[in-house]
Each structure stands twice: as structure tokens, then as C-alpha cells.
Amino acid sequence: MLILTCPYCGVDADETELTPGGEAHLTRHGPGSSDDDFHDYLFARDNPRGVHFERWRHTYGCGKWFHAARSTDTLEVFGTYPAQTTEPPKDICDKISGERPGWSWRIFG
Amino acid sequence: MSLRLRDGGRLIDRSARMAFQFDGRSLTGFAGDTLASALLANDKMLVGRSFKYHRPRGVVASGAEEPNALVNLAQGGTFEPNQRATTTELFDGLTATSQNHWPSLEHDIGAVNSSLARFLPAGFYYKTFIHPRPFWKHIYEPFIRQSAGLGKAPKDRDADRYEHFYYFCDLVVIGGGVAGLQAARVAGEAGAKVLLLEQSAHWGGRAPVDGGEIDGRPAEAWVTDTLAVLEAMPNVTLRSRCMGAGVYDHGYLLAYERLTDHAPQADGPRHRLWRIRTQQIITATGAIERPLSFAGNDIPGVMLASAVRDYVVNYGVAPGQRTVVVTNNDDGYRTAICLKQAGLDVPRILDARETGGGALMEEARALGIRIDCGRAVGKVQGGKRVKSVQVCAQKGSGSALEEVACDAVAMSGGWSPVVHLWSHCGGKLVWDDVQAHFRPDADRPPLGRSGQGFVAVAGAANGALTGAVADADAMARGVVQAIGLKPGKGIAPAETQPEELPIEPVWLMPAQAKTELKAKAWLDYQNDVKVSDVQLAAREGFESVEHTKRYTTLGMATDQGKLSNINGLAILSDALGQPIPQTGTTTFRPPYTPISMGAIAGEARGDIFQPVRETPMYGWNDSNGADWEPVGHWRRPYAYVRSGETVHDAVMREVTNTRENVGLLDASTLGKLIVKGPDAGKFLDMLYTNMMSTLKPGRCRYGLMCTENGFLTDDGVVARIDEDTFLCHTTTGGADRIHAHMEEWLQTEWWDWQVYVANVTEQYAQIGVVGPKARAVLETLGGMDLSAEALPFMAWADGKIGAFDARAYRVSFSGELSYEIAVPASRGQAFWDALLEAGKAHGIMPYGTEALHIMRAEKGFIMIGDETDGTVIPQDLGLNWAISKKKDDYLGKRAQERVHMTDPDRWKLVGLETVDGSVLPDGAYAVAEGTNANGQRNMQGRVTSTYHSPTLGKGIAMGLVKHGPDRMGEVLEFPGTDGTVFKAKIVDPVFYDKDGDKQNV
């Protein structure tokens, strides 16, 4: 029963208000893409122990999609930010670096 | 024998007699008794039978850790199995029955298992019931199921009420003993919003029984005073009979309050589940005494030493008149002293330590009790009661030195902190060599969302078996600061207790016990796990404690190893030749003690289990014969059944009348999504397989929606309202899902597109007026021009129909002349009434979903959820005409280009017609020649929709068949579930009016 802060309405939302949306920062591969790229986009997901970036929707609140940076082992939440971006914001990456030097997640870190 | 003492009993009221029944016998107790104390007061030593060997079992503990005294309570709608007698407060009229025996508690056939114990070791079932294989299903499994399980499941509907309660605070203190009280006081004085929970009906925990002084007063007086201070604080809430059940992520906590279990006649809910969000949690859950593992330690009359003195001090009940005390620590002496002071006989204290104990030993000796050091119980003699104990040397193998007659044994193997709530959310433990127990490792707490610990432990639960108040004081001060408040200046109250010498761990008594003794030394009473079972498991290679638990069933069942856990893993560690910390513990999982299913359900039962969505015409439908069908959260009329009709008759009548005259359909449940903005057309081109941006305002188009994985997910008619605005109809079950689907893509992929989506499903009542006389009915009402010229097929228009503001769509899902008319939801019933009145002369009748289904199937229209199941793409259904070839991209397009999606062997939609006119079974498979790798018949197709068509007078069906469209006229075989084989011919899926002349008039 996580609590995540919705970056749009500012509410500290209980998990029951939220819908999980899986891994964040996926790149859509449409017509013209290779079979491998399309397969990875649709099915291949990381399952890291530690730092992870996820999509969540404040379904029973403002309805907005946002991203959360959190640790899958300690459940610490490093920060949440709007979904309209292709990379995590610098201040959240800096915060993670402060607590977990040497972290990496896909191309970020 | 056990008996009520002449006086004493701090919790009972001897002036208030309570009558109760146990196994049909009428007994009495006093107000304040637990069922266990009342049974002991009536010399009911035997209260149940064990799970595997059906051994006679008596009360062993005095609280939540009780493994033996489980009973059935009440009858009928309030019946509940597996209730602990030790935590059941007595009330007048209580009825209880014992469990796990046949025909009676005294004479139990299953006890024969006990004499076969040699043949029923750990893993017995796994080893025995393997061969011969065919025996499993018809002989072994029914036999095991018959003997499995404790108690019986209730048969009647639960007659009680339950509720959920949400609560938010700074700090929850779990446990109302002296540590919990002090912690709450420190936090309360600092101004924190505090909730203090106590699982029993009484505050103060063990302290009032165990004695000692706090702040210069007897412990009980300090408890009373502190409680008064807390009750006066507006920021502190106290709840007794309320157990902290589970600690979850980020400060979520469940608590279980038993409101009327002790007073069943009282009004109000029986249980309340507290759903709490708190910044910090202090668990002050105390410690539980461990049994000692000696032969016969399960015979009724052998009890925990602490429980023995609880019964004497709290209830004025003596479990025996001659009690042998056996201990490996100083605390056990308290029981001997307490018994002696109550005037009872203590023939012997056996202290496993060679040098004995400290101040408490001297006190006991001064009372004239004989104390034998370095001595142990070799064996308890007795069957349904204790008769005597054989005394032996702790260091030996159990050779009897003497036999001491007694009727009770009080045992103390040391104390294990209750670390469950600390551990639920990941708090780690450390092994304390001095006190011989696991206690919380303060450096590795459960972490909250900030990465900081949110659970602290105070008092005995923290390993502070003495000095609990000071420990709680210090702990609470730290927690107050973590909350962001300043602790007050007060100093911790001083505690005065006798000096104690260290415990000496005893995991097996005597240390070198012979095999026949180990096979009678119980670790887990409820599940009949003995020392020899755990040693066997270790020999057979079960080295992980989690594996040993499952192989032997140690620590399973209702008490979840509260008594057996540490003793069992110490035996396992010894057998494996490794230190206890290396073996570790099994996982502690919530809830701490079992909670009722009713409390979990709360108010969510009956009509409000899942609220039903109702259309504006719901009431009319309900009172006009609607046979309800659940569709999503809605209820839709399957058919409107008239008196004298079967449901089938009604469906046939409705189809025929709609085809010949005119029908009314409550279509309000269809999803209605407004998609608006300069990029709305572009957006819908991505969402639908069709081209929607070219649709002209005033026109409608049927569209298909796929997931990014290519599979068909929804369909419906899209109407273009103006240049920037579309109204998308979805399926009844799809409105919320498709709305969310649109939002997801708009917010997370195409966030720069200017589009807004609103779900207006419930803003409109939508009514289908369907059939050859539909136009005539509407023209009777007057208003807007609904002629073929003014409103052609697949057009829509706004206007007035009669007195109603209406939007009319010329669409048809039945193949008939058809209008779907939307009016404001508040006008829905009035419009429905007006249509019924206007249609009287034309034979108008409402029709339900089944008539709708039959008419669409006659026309070969697909239904999402029938023809689709999440593995079907539009191309499978011959819907290529609805897939734009001009678009570069739409959701699902790339997926549909994958090889297995373009495979010509994919099953495709066809019509199916039985050769004899009968109806194909739904979901039936068409078999092909040969068998697959599993030896099953090969398949070549399946039925997706099947009905009797009254229009055609025969069975019609649709199905997906391999190469189906190329095999017209071929006859397939569909085996039914009853052995009959249905033969059906592959035909065109459009059975009725293929050219569409009827709908386009």
C-alpha cells in the first residue's frame, strides 16, 4: 500500500487511488520498425531490484498519468513527475545519486 | 484437578454468575472470565483433540498464542469455528463445542492414529500416497480431504454486521502493556496524535500479574494512573479489544476491533476493521513464553508457567492442586511463588541450570519449596490428565531419578519477543545470545517512503524483559522527534524488580533425550510436530527452515508458530550443526492472529457488495418483467417476460415483433465519449482501424478499435458532431476502459495533440426504436423530419421529437429500419413512456439483450466478447473493409503485420448451420483428423455465437474455422459434452437480408 504524491494535484495518494502502468520511458515502435524493436517495445520489461521508474495514473483522483522513481527493494520513493517527458528530471536523478551512488537504469544513471 | 480458588481473581466479579454450555453440558463462570478460565474452574482439563494423532489436549496458554483450546462458538448464523478459548470473554448464554473428534471428545476414534504415530512421521502423506497412481483421485484424496482441516466451515449466512473504519494519525502504539502506555504518554505529552491499541479487554499487560513497582507504586496502580492521564489527553485515542493485525508499506496498518464478541446482544457491528495511515508505529507487543520440549509436554495439565499464574491472579483459578514447576530461567519461579502464596502445593521446582537462579529462587526457597537444580522433566505420566512427572538430570538421557506425583506442570523455556508486526514489512531480527531469543535489529527497520524507518519497538517486544518502561520511554522520545515534534522534559519512571540471573537455553529436555522420549516431545501442539519429526526432516535434507516448516507443518495453522517457532528452529539448527541465526526464522505474515472474513468484507455485502448501475428506465424495466442480465456494472433486461411465458418464449416473441412491427431497446448503457479539439480527427485515426478524420459532420461511421498488440478490443458507431467534435459510442462494458485507453495515449504518447475526452455515458438516455414501423411511431409524436431523405441511413440530426430535445442516429444493429435516439437522462423515462403510448397502435414492445443478440447474429454482425476473446484480430472476422489502407499508422497496425498475424492458417469467421436445424452448443469445437502431441483430437474451429433464430426457424451460429471462408458448404463435426456429435455446414455469416434493403428505407 504505497503512497505516491501526484505531481499534478499535489495529493499524497494512497495506492488504492492509483492504477499501476508498468515501466516508464518506453519508446513506441510503430509500422516500419523491426520485429525485434517492436517485440521489445511491447513485451520486454526490466524487473530491477533497486531503482526503478514506473508509470502510475491517479485514476480515482485527477485522472492524470505520472511517473514515479522508487526503489523496489526498500520501497523508498525518490520522486514523482509528470508523464509528459522522455527522461527523468535532473533533480530526481541527483537525489538518487546522492543516496545510491553508481545507480543505473536503462540509459539513465 | 483444576478448580476455582476461594478468593482472588483481579478480573472477575464473583457476584455476577454467567451460565454457559460446553459440549452440551451446562456450566457456570463469573463475569470477567475467559472461556478458558471458566472451563478450568469447572475442571475441564480436556478441551480438544490434536490435528494429526487426535491426542487429548488442554489449555496451555492464557492469550492469543493458545494452540490447543480451539472451539466452535455459537450456532446457525453466528457459528464460528477455531475460536481460542483463552481470548473468548465469557458471557451469559455462551455456547461452545470442542473440535476435531468423533464421536465425542472423551472417546475419539481418530485417536487410533496416536498408536500408529511410529508410522505417521513427517512427510507421511507425501511418502505414502504416491503409488499406485490411480488410487490418488478416488481413494487417497477423498480420505485426506475428510481428515484435513480444523473445525467446520459455517453453513449459514453470517447474521452479524461488520464495518471498515479509516483513521489517520501521527503514531500508533500497538500493545497496552506498561511499555505501550509509557510510549503513548511520551508521544501524547509531546502533542502527537496517538492511537493506542490493546488486543485484550484489559490494560497493563503482564505487569499487574508479575508484580514489581513502577514509579514507587505497585504496577497495577501505575497502570490505572497512567491510563487516567492518557484518557484526559484529547490527542490520544485508546482502543481495547483492538488488535494491531498487520503492518504494510508506507505506514499502512490494519487493526481488528472486536466490538460485540463479549456482548452479542449489544447493538452495532460485531467487528470493525481499522484501516490506518500513520507516520510512525511503535510495537509494544510484549513477549511470549516458550514451552520446554520434554516427553508428554502436551498432556492436559502441562501449561506455560506464565499462564498458570495468569489463571491464579487474574481469575482465581488453579490449573492444579499440586504443580511441578520446571524452568531454565528465573521468571519461572514467579509461578511457584504465586501458587504457594495462593495456598497451593508446589512439590518441586526443577531448574535445568546447575547453579539455579537469583533472588526469586531465594524467595521461593524461603517459602519452603524444594528446588532441584540441574534437574529436568524426563517424562510426564498421564493420559487425559497429568498424574506425575519423572525427574531426571538435564544433562543425561532421561533415566528417571524419582517420580513426583502432581496434577499440573508449569513450564518456562524463556521468553520470545513478539516481533511479528516489526517483521511484516521487512524489519530484520538479530539473535540475542544472552537472552536466547530473536529481537528486532533497530538498525534495520522497515523503511517508509522517505527511506527512513517507520516502525520502532518498545519494551519486552524489543528484548527488554526487564526495564520495559524505560526502554519504551527512550524509544518514544526518538519516535516523537522523527514525527517532527519535541519530546517533553520528563524522566522515565523507575522500575523495581528482583535481580535475575541469565537464562540457560534448553531446546531439548533432557539434553540427550532418548529416541522414545523425543518422539513424545511436542514442538507444535496444534499440528502434532515433535522433536523427532524436525530431526527426521533435517536428516532427509530439508535444511531451509521454510522447507522444514512445510514438510513437517511446524508453525502452520491458526497459531502460526507463536509457541513452536523458536524451539523448532533451535532443534533444526542443532540437527544441522549450525548456529540458530544461520538457520533464521520463517516469514512472519499478517494478520497477527486470525481475523474474521466478515471484518475483511466490511459493509461490502448484499446490495452494496458491488453497486449496480441503473439506466433512467431501470425501474420501469424492473416492474415490467425484466429478466436481468449483468453487463459490466450494469443490469440490462435479457428479455421482458410476460405472465405465462418462459424466458425463451419472450425472446422469440420480441425478435418476431421487432422484425414485423416495432421494438424498443433501452440502449442507455452504450458508452458515449466526446472527443473534441483541433487534433480530434487525427487522434481518432490512430485509435480506430478506420479513417475517421474524413467523416463529414452529420454522418456516422462504424469503427473498430485494437490494442497496440493488434487484437480487437472494442467497436461502435462514431458520429461527427462538428469539425472539432466527435461522439464515439463504445460497447456497454467498454466505456470506462476505452475512456482510460484514450487518456493514456493522449497523456503519455501524444501529449502535444490538442484533444479533450469526456465520458458522457450517463448524461443521456438512449432508446432504440427498431422495426419496419419505427418511423411511423416517431412521426406520431411529431417534430423533426425523420424521413429517409432528411435523415438517411448512417446520418444523425438534432431536433425535437414531440416535446423532447433529441438527437437521432439512423443506425441499425438489427438490420431493420432503426433510430437510436438520445435524450437528456432526466427525460429518459418520459420519452420511453411517450414512445410506448405512440407505438400502441403499431404493436410496439420493448425487447431485451437476447433479442438484440439474435437479430445481430441473423445479420452476421460481430459482438465484442463473443466473436472476440483477446486473441482475435479484425482480419480474422472478415472486417478488412473497416481497416483503412491509406493510413500509415494506427494502434495495432504494426502488430497485425507480424508473421503469425498474417498467417493464412488463422481461423476465420464463418456462419454455421446445423444440418438438422438444431442449435449448436456454445463454445463447441470442430474436430479434425488425427491427434496432437498430447494425444487429443486436432481442432479446426470453434463456435463463437449460437442461437435459435425465430425469423429463420432454425439454429444459426457463427464461428472461427481454419480456412473457413474457402470451405463454404463443407460439413464439420462438433462433439458435444454429452457424447452427441453436432454436424454443421459452413455458410455465409449473413443469414438475413444480405443486401441491407430493410435497414435502408
Side-chain angles (χ1 to χ4, degrees), chain B residues 9-10 33 144 262 264 293 308 444 455 521 563 589 642 662 721 729 740 765 770 782 813 859 890 894 921-922 967 987:
Chain B
R10 57 184 277 272
D33 261 328
I144 291 172
H262 64 292
S293 304
V308 170
R444 295 182 294 164
V455 182
L563 292 187
R589 292 196 178 85
R642 296 180 172 179
V662 57
I721 307 301
H729 287 101
V770 181
F813 197 42
K859 281 291 290 177
Y890 60 82
R894 174 64 185 85
D922 206 356
R967 297 166 67 183
V987 296

Side-chain angles (χ1 to χ4, degrees), chain A residues 1-3 5 12 14 28 30-31 33-35 38 41-42 55 57 63-65 75-77 84-85, chain B residues 249-250 252 277 447 449-451 708-709 740 743-745 747-749 751 888-889 891 894-895 898:
Chain A
M1 288 286 274
L2 306 177
I3 292 178
T5 305
D12 285 345
D14 188 285
R28 181 169 185 261
S33 59
S34 73
D35 277 354
F38 183 70
Y41 151 61
L42 210 54
R55 304 179 335 130
R57 187 181 182 212
K64 290 291 190 184
W65 280 93
L75 306 186
E76 176 177 359
V77 180
Q84 289 76 44
T85 177
Chain B
D249 308 341
H250 292 185
Y252 186 64
R277 279 287 186 187
L447 300 181
R449 59 184 175 130
S450 64
E708 185 72 319
N709 205 3
E743 283 292 339
E744 180 177 354
W745 285 96
Q747 290 183 39
T748 66
E749 189 66 28
W751 60 75
D888 293 335
D889 196 2
L891 294 181
R894 174 64 185 85
R898 291 175 292 183

Side-chain angles (χ1 to χ4, degrees), chain B residues 431-454:
Chain B
W431 177 255
D432 184 326
D433 246 340
V434 176
Q435 304 198 97
H437 59 213
F438 280 107
R439 62 175 165 78
D441 181 353
D443 293 334
R444 295 182 294 164
L447 300 181
R449 59 184 175 130
S450 64
Q452 305 298 310
F454 70 94

Side-chain angles (χ1 to χ4, degrees), chain B residues 549-705:
Chain B
K549 167 175 172 172
R550 281 149 188 85
Y551 189 56
T552 62
T553 69
L554 173 82
M556 291 166 81
T558 64
D559 67 319
Q560 287 287 291
K562 288 185 180 68
L563 292 187
S564 62
N565 200 320
I566 302 296
N567 285 345
L569 61 92
I571 295 290
L572 180 64
S573 301
D574 180 62
L576 296 172
Q578 65 188 23
I580 289 171
Q582 197 173 323
T583 305
T585 67
T586 51
T587 309
F588 297 93
R589 292 196 178 85
Y592 174 59
T593 61
I595 67 177
S596 63
M597 298 300 285
I600 294 169
E603 299 88 341
R605 59 193 283 184
D607 287 345
I608 56 171
F609 174 68
Q610 186 181 62
V612 171
R613 293 176 77 178
E614 300 179 353
T615 72
M617 287 78 86
Y618 184 91
W620 189 94
N621 290 335
D622 197 40
S623 50
N624 283 273
D627 187 63
W628 292 109
E629 175 186 37
V631 186
H633 289 184
W634 299 95
R635 291 284 180 282
R636 298 189 72 181
Y638 180 87
Y640 296 83
V641 185
R642 296 180 172 179
S643 72
E645 271 184 339
T646 64
V647 174
H648 179 76
D649 295 340
V651 171
M652 296 299 118
R653 170 180 52 76
E654 289 170 9
V655 171
T656 304
N657 185 66
T658 305
R659 291 257 182 251
E660 289 176 359
N661 296 308
V662 57
L664 271 189
L665 177 73
D666 181 357
S668 308
T669 60
L670 283 182
K672 303 163 206 76
L673 305 176
I674 288 175
V675 179
K676 190 177 177 66
D679 294 317
K682 183 164 99 172
F683 176 59
L684 293 184
D685 281 350
M686 285 302 296
L687 246 70
Y688 286 94
T689 61
N690 326 54
M691 190 75 92
M692 286 300 173
S693 53
T694 55
L695 186 63
K696 300 270 178 292
R699 301 291 301 179
C700 302
R701 183 169 290 164
Y702 172 73
L704 304 174
M705 253 187 238

Side-chain angles (χ1 to χ4, degrees), chain B residues 89-376:
Chain B
E89 295 174 56
L90 193 68
F91 56 85
D92 203 44
L94 181 148
T95 59
T97 53
S98 55
Q99 305 185 152
N100 219 33
H101 52 70
W102 187 85
S104 75
L105 182 58
E106 289 289 333
H107 306 282
D108 176 25
I109 297 287
V112 71
N113 282 4
S114 191
S115 50
L116 297 174
R118 201 151 67 81
F119 307 106
L120 297 168
F124 168 72
Y125 290 106
Y126 305 126
K127 290 165 181 164
T128 308
F129 297 114
I130 294 175
H131 301 288
R133 299 286 294 192
F135 272 42
W136 175 255
K137 192 176 167 85
H138 298 293
I139 297 173
Y140 295 154
E141 188 183 342
F143 167 74
I144 291 172
R145 285 198 184 283
Q146 180 63 33
S147 53
L150 284 165
K152 285 195 169 53
K155 285 196 168 53
D156 295 342
R157 194 181 172 83
D158 193 331
D160 285 306
R161 251 180 339 111
Y162 304 85
E163 68 179 24
H164 286 186
F165 186 69
Y166 293 83
Y167 197 77
F168 301 85
C169 58
D170 297 325
L171 170 67
V172 179
V173 179
I174 301 168
V178 291
L181 290 168
Q182 179 65 15
R185 181 175 183 161
V186 169
E189 283 171 350
K193 184 179 175 190
V194 180
L195 175 64
L196 174 60
L197 305 177
E198 165 54 40
Q199 64 180 353
S200 75
H202 307 286
W203 299 92
R206 294 209 55 80
V209 174
D210 290 351
E213 290 192 342
I214 305 172
D215 220 6
R217 282 162 289 170
E220 182 148 24
W222 182 86
V223 168
T224 307
D225 294 350
T226 308
L227 208 53
V229 170
L230 290 171
E231 275 165 354
M233 290 185 188
N235 54 328
V236 176
T237 303
L238 299 107
R239 275 288 180 282
S240 60
R241 298 190 179 97
C242 189
M243 172 190 65
V247 172
Y248 304 85
D249 308 341
H250 292 185
Y252 186 64
L253 176 75
L254 285 184
Y256 173 64
E257 185 175 13
R258 304 198 298 159
L259 293 153
T260 64
D261 276 351
H262 64 292
Q265 303 310 320
D267 195 23
R270 176 169 172 239
H271 296 153
R272 177 182 289 145
L273 191 71
W274 290 59
R275 306 177 64 169
I276 304 164
R277 279 287 186 187
T278 179
Q279 286 193 57
Q280 292 284 323
I281 295 167
I282 292 178
T283 71
T285 42
I288 292 177
E289 195 168 26
R290 295 191 291 256
L292 286 165
S293 304
F294 50 80
N297 63 350
D298 68 325
I299 295 171
V302 181
M303 293 172 67
L304 295 175
S306 57
V308 170
R309 63 181 186 269
D310 280 345
Y311 286 111
V312 172
V313 177
N314 286 336
Y315 309 104
V317 167
Q321 286 158 301
R322 273 173 68 81
T323 305
V324 168
V325 175
V326 53
T327 184
N328 64 344
N329 63 83
D330 279 16
D331 187 60
Y333 286 90
R334 287 196 172 92
T335 298
I337 294 165
C338 160
L339 289 169
K340 195 77 181 171
Q341 286 173 342
L344 294 156
D345 198 7
V346 182
R348 204 68 52 92
I349 297 175
L350 303 173
D351 192 329
R353 299 170 293 182
E354 290 292 336
T355 52
L360 286 162
M361 181 174 80
E362 296 312 324
E363 191 180 339
R365 186 167 283 152
L367 287 169
I369 305 172
R370 176 170 161 189
I371 298 157
D372 289 358
C373 293
R375 290 288 183 268

Side-chain angles (χ1 to χ4, degrees), chain B residues 681-930:
Chain B
K682 183 164 99 172
F683 176 59
L684 293 184
D685 281 350
M686 285 302 296
L687 246 70
Y688 286 94
T689 61
N690 326 54
M691 190 75 92
M692 286 300 173
S693 53
T694 55
L695 186 63
K696 300 270 178 292
R699 301 291 301 179
C700 302
R701 183 169 290 164
Y702 172 73
L704 304 174
M705 253 187 238
C706 294
T707 63
E708 185 72 319
N709 205 3
F711 299 118
L712 194 51
T713 187
D714 208 72
D715 69 348
V717 169
V718 177
R720 190 161 199 166
I721 307 301
D722 58 37
E723 199 53 41
D724 275 0
T725 314
F726 294 80
L727 192 144
C728 303
H729 287 101
T730 75
T731 57
T732 291
D736 296 321
R737 181 169 52 85
I738 298 303
H739 183 207
H741 176 65
M742 289 181 172
E743 283 292 339
E744 180 177 354
W745 285 96
L746 277 174
Q747 290 183 39
T748 66
E749 189 66 28
W750 304 307
W751 60 75
D752 51 338
W753 296 10
Q754 294 183 60
V755 184
Y756 179 77
V757 182
N759 185 347
V760 297
T761 300
E762 294 188 351
Q763 310 306 309
Y764 296 96
Q766 198 142 315
I767 298 169
V769 187
V770 181
K773 296 174 182 170
R775 187 177 286 134
V777 172
L778 291 166
E779 284 172 348
T780 310
L781 287 173
M784 63 193 288
D785 185 355
L786 296 168
S787 65
E789 296 71 33
L791 192 67
F793 186 54
M794 295 307 273
W796 68 270
D798 282 342
K800 283 253 180 203
I801 298 177
F804 301 90
D805 290 322
R807 175 174 288 165
Y809 304 90
R810 249 318 278 289
V811 294
S812 178
F813 197 42
S814 58
E816 297 299 329
L817 169 66
S818 162
Y819 297 83
E820 277 191 20
I821 297 163
V823 298
S826 58
R827 303 284 284 151
Q829 185 59 53
F831 186 53
W832 181 267
D833 292 340
L835 287 167
L836 284 172
E837 184 61 33
K840 254 185 195 161
H842 303 284
I844 201 164
M845 288 178 196
Y847 68 93
T849 54
E850 186 62 1
L852 171 151
H853 274 96
I854 292 174
M855 288 190 280
R856 67 91 194 170
E858 290 170 343
K859 281 291 290 177
F861 294 143
I862 64 134
M863 178 69 76
I864 298 292
D866 284 336
E867 275 62 47
T868 71
D869 64 357
T871 69
V872 172
I873 56 176
Q875 292 87 340
D876 297 338
L877 302 179
L879 293 169
N880 303 63
W881 60 267
I883 303 171
S884 169
K885 310 283 182 301
K886 294 184 199 143
K887 294 195 294 189
D888 293 335
D889 196 2
Y890 60 82
L891 294 181
K893 183 176 172 71
R894 174 64 185 85
Q896 289 161 3
E897 290 167 357
R898 291 175 292 183
V899 265
H900 53 285
M901 296 292 193
T902 55
D903 185 348
D905 285 348
R906 285 184 74 86
W907 294 0
K908 298 236 156 99
L909 187 77
V910 291
L912 296 166
E913 211 178 283
T914 49
V915 293
D916 61 359
S918 63
V919 179
L920 275 172
D922 206 356
Y925 275 79
V927 291
E929 289 305 311

